[in-house]
Amino acid sequence: MENRLNAYLILIILHIAIGVGVYLIRPLSLIYGLLIFVLGLLYVVKTKNRNNEVLLVISYVVGSEVFLRMTGGNILHEIAKYEVLFFSIMGVIYSGFSKKSFVFAICFLLLLPGVIVGMSTLSYFTNIRKAVTFNLLGPVTLLTTSVYCYRRIISPETLLRILVALSVPIVSTVVYLVLYTPDNADLFTSTQSNFSTSGGFGPNQVSTILGLGIFTFFALFLLYSKTKIEIFFNFIFLILSGYRGIITFSRGGVFTAMAMILALLILVFLYAKSRVKLKVLIIVGGISIAALFLWTYSIYQTNGLIANRYENKDAIGRLKKDRFGGREEIAKGELELFVENPIFGIGVGKSTEVRELITNEKIASHSETTRMPAEHGILGVIFLVILTLIPILHFARNKNYLMSLPFFIFWLLTINHAAMRLAVPAVIYALSLLQINNDEKKTNSLSRE
């Protein structure tokens, strides 16, 4: 217990220092990004993935992705997806995969016709390689990581380490955001997504990762905090992640976190013993009071604009006709493209090109659930249905894995407001496919059911 506490404290302090250091000396972010890959590689090679170290590395990679993007620490914009692909393949080489993961190979084949159609229909002026890569890299990352994770048995201790690996880079993100944007009511002049409070980066992506932080710190606080120090840090970063997420004025990440927390609480109440339920009720009551104060403070800090934002009103309180910032029109247009091209779709990357011709604006889709049918046709629909059913059926067989359903919810909601522009929905989806076993001797094997 003492060793675990010391390690956790060192990680928290280190990542607070990283947030401060990158804020003061921005080029440190590039060094940090390179170290993640180098140290991750050394870690996996040295251990030969005996205890599923790949899971920790890819969790850390996606936890740090937004921080590195907003601070210029990536040598390539999509480097996190490439790293996740690389480490997942290493995991498969070292530790194998379940034979039943062949379903993900079928999903991959479903994507190929859309690629062929896209390459033959995209405009001469469009960079075909970038268009295809931008839209396909996320799904390919998801499928590859899922092959590694599907039915892989881990211990409760490994799950704790995964949650920590996801969380600690978000500590650096929160610290950087606090330093980058001190509380200042003058920053809030409208109800639009706020780049000033998002580190100068895309509020939707920042909200997404902060939403994940809200959930992971809540889970750590609720289920794993054994000492006052752990309780203190997990609670503080839960509140800070919540506040910074709210004032991005991008609602997707916050709503996703709330849905994940609700799912986790329902599962805890369904399967926990009576005395544990009482303890959980007390904790939830305390956090609910803190959340009420946090929301009140956010309203005060933003001159009431955040309340208007969540009520779908503009700065002067008028109800907006458009509830999702123009995304309804994008989704409607993509569904119309699907109706017109129901078999193989219009091709990967083509929907963005069509939108640009109509609106004179280059706007990428925010939703995979409408982009996939538009660009892949009925094969895209089948792809999404398979991906949706697998975690649901998996959870039905593995109800002792409490994180499975919340992780699935994160993927499902995130791909509907932020598509797969980040690597994090791919990894979180794959993590929902793990299995928990309390027998340490069996935790580096695969289910042979």
Side-chain angles (χ1 to χ4, degrees):
M1 174 67 75
E2 186 176 347
N3 289 338
R4 195 189 87 178
L5 176 61
N6 290 338
Y8 187 61
L9 282 177
I10 290 170
L11 284 172
I12 292 290
I13 294 169
L14 173 63
H15 285 84
I16 291 173
I18 289 171
V20 174
V22 170
Y23 174 75
L24 296 175
I25 308 172
R26 197 174 172 94
L28 288 177
S29 181
L30 186 60
I31 298 173
Y32 174 49
L34 292 172
L35 281 174
I36 290 172
F37 176 75
V38 173
L39 295 179
L41 179 60
L42 292 174
Y43 182 46
V44 174
V45 170
K46 182 179 179 179
T47 60
K48 293 182 170 54
N49 200 44
R50 281 187 292 269
N51 295 300
N52 296 303
E53 285 79 9
V54 161
L55 295 175
L56 306 182
V57 175
I58 62 175
S59 297
Y60 190 90
V61 166
V62 297
S64 62
E65 180 180 12
V66 169
F67 178 70
L68 292 172
R69 281 191 179 186
M70 74 166 65
T71 58
N74 288 331
I75 56 175
L76 295 173
H77 186 69
E78 301 283 8
I79 190 67
K81 291 174 184 172
Y82 289 115
E83 288 180 353
V84 169
L85 277 170
F86 176 78
F87 285 114
S88 296
I89 292 170
M90 284 189 71
V92 168
I93 293 171
Y94 276 122
S95 305
F97 59 94
S98 169
K99 293 178 181 178
K100 294 187 179 182
S101 65
F102 75 90
V103 66
F104 298 109
I106 294 173
C107 288
F108 178 77
L109 293 176
L110 292 172
L111 298 176
L112 295 182
V115 176
I116 295 170
V117 174
M119 293 179 70
S120 62
T121 61
L122 284 168
S123 167
Y124 174 79
F125 298 102
T126 299
N127 187 317
I128 295 176
R129 181 186 63 80
K130 285 186 177 180
V132 172
T133 301
F134 177 80
N135 290 286
L136 211 60
L137 188 57
V140 170
T141 302
L142 181 148
L143 295 175
T144 306
T145 311
S146 296
V147 167
Y148 173 70
C149 290
Y150 190 52
R151 297 196 174 192
R152 186 167 298 278
I153 301 171
I154 62 170
S155 68
E157 181 64 25
T158 298
L159 177 58
L160 168 60
R161 295 171 72 194
I162 288 170
L163 290 173
V164 171
L166 287 169
S167 300
V168 288
I170 300 175
V171 170
S172 300
T173 307
V174 169
V175 169
Y176 180 84
L177 289 173
V178 169
L179 296 173
Y180 184 93
T181 316
D183 286 345
N184 187 344
D186 294 336
L187 294 172
F188 306 103
T189 58
S190 76
T191 58
Q192 300 301 311
S193 296
N194 196 316
F195 282 80
S196 297
T197 57
S198 304
F201 191 63
N204 196 20
Q205 295 184 28
V206 175
S207 173
T208 296
I209 202 65
L210 290 175
L212 180 63
I214 293 169
F215 173 76
T216 53
F217 285 116
F218 176 82
L220 289 170
F221 180 83
L222 180 71
L223 303 175
Y224 295 102
S225 295
K226 304 297 183 185
T227 67
K228 291 180 180 178
I229 294 177
E230 288 176 312
I231 291 171
F232 173 77
F233 277 113
N234 289 328
F235 180 76
I236 289 297
F237 283 103
L238 167 61
I239 296 300
L240 285 175
S241 296
Y243 176 62
R244 301 310 307 192
I246 289 170
I247 64 172
T248 63
F249 278 69
S250 183
R251 296 164 291 185
V254 177
F255 283 143
T256 299
M258 291 169 62
M260 294 173 75
I261 288 171
L262 179 60
L264 179 62
L265 288 175
I266 290 172
L267 293 175
V268 169
F269 273 93
L270 282 175
Y271 300 112
K273 296 178 181 178
S274 297
R275 61 183 182 83
V276 175
K277 290 179 182 179
L278 178 61
K279 178 184 175 182
V280 170
L281 275 176
I282 295 171
I283 292 173
V284 171
I287 289 181
S288 298
I289 294 171
L292 180 60
F293 277 108
L294 179 62
W295 178 246
T296 304
Y297 179 74
S298 301
I299 292 174
Y300 168 76
Q301 227 14 71
T302 61
N303 298 317
L305 291 176
I306 194 62
N308 286 358
R309 173 65 167 172
Y310 278 77
E311 292 172 6
N312 199 47
K313 296 177 180 178
D314 63 17
I316 60 176
R318 296 174 300 189
L319 191 65
K320 296 180 181 179
K321 293 181 180 179
D322 181 358
R323 293 185 60 83
F324 301 105
R327 294 173 192 174
E328 297 102 320
E329 288 301 315
I330 295 174
K332 181 181 176 182
E334 288 176 331
L335 291 176
E336 289 173 353
L337 290 172
F338 168 61
V339 172
E340 295 167 4
N341 305 269
I343 307 301
F344 296 118
I346 60 173
V348 175
K350 188 68 178 179
S351 62
T352 302
E353 191 177 279
V354 171
R355 255 190 315 277
E356 187 175 9
L357 289 172
I358 296 172
T359 65
N360 290 321
E361 292 183 274
K362 192 171 184 179
I363 305 172
S365 177
H366 286 270
S367 174
E368 293 294 317
T369 54
T370 54
R371 184 193 69 81
M372 290 295 296
E375 297 188 354
H376 295 269
I378 193 65
L379 298 182
V381 175
I382 296 171
F383 178 89
L384 290 171
V385 169
I386 293 174
L387 288 189
T388 302
L389 289 176
I390 290 172
I392 293 174
L393 296 175
H394 182 74
F395 173 70
R397 294 190 300 264
N398 300 277
K399 293 186 177 66
N400 65 324
Y401 180 28
L402 295 182
M403 296 300 157
S404 181
L405 187 59
F407 282 167
F408 168 67
I409 288 172
F410 177 87
W411 170 77
L412 187 62
L413 296 184
T414 299
I415 66 167
N416 277 285
H417 75 83
M420 292 192 69
R421 298 181 189 176
L422 296 171
V424 66
V427 170
I428 298 300
Y429 176 91
L431 293 178
S432 76
L433 306 177
L434 298 169
Q435 293 183 201
I436 292 290
N437 193 315
N438 293 314
D439 187 347
E440 292 290 340
K441 295 179 181 179
K442 297 181 180 179
T443 55
N444 199 32
S445 62
L446 293 167
S447 170
R448 298 302 178 189
E449 297 175 8

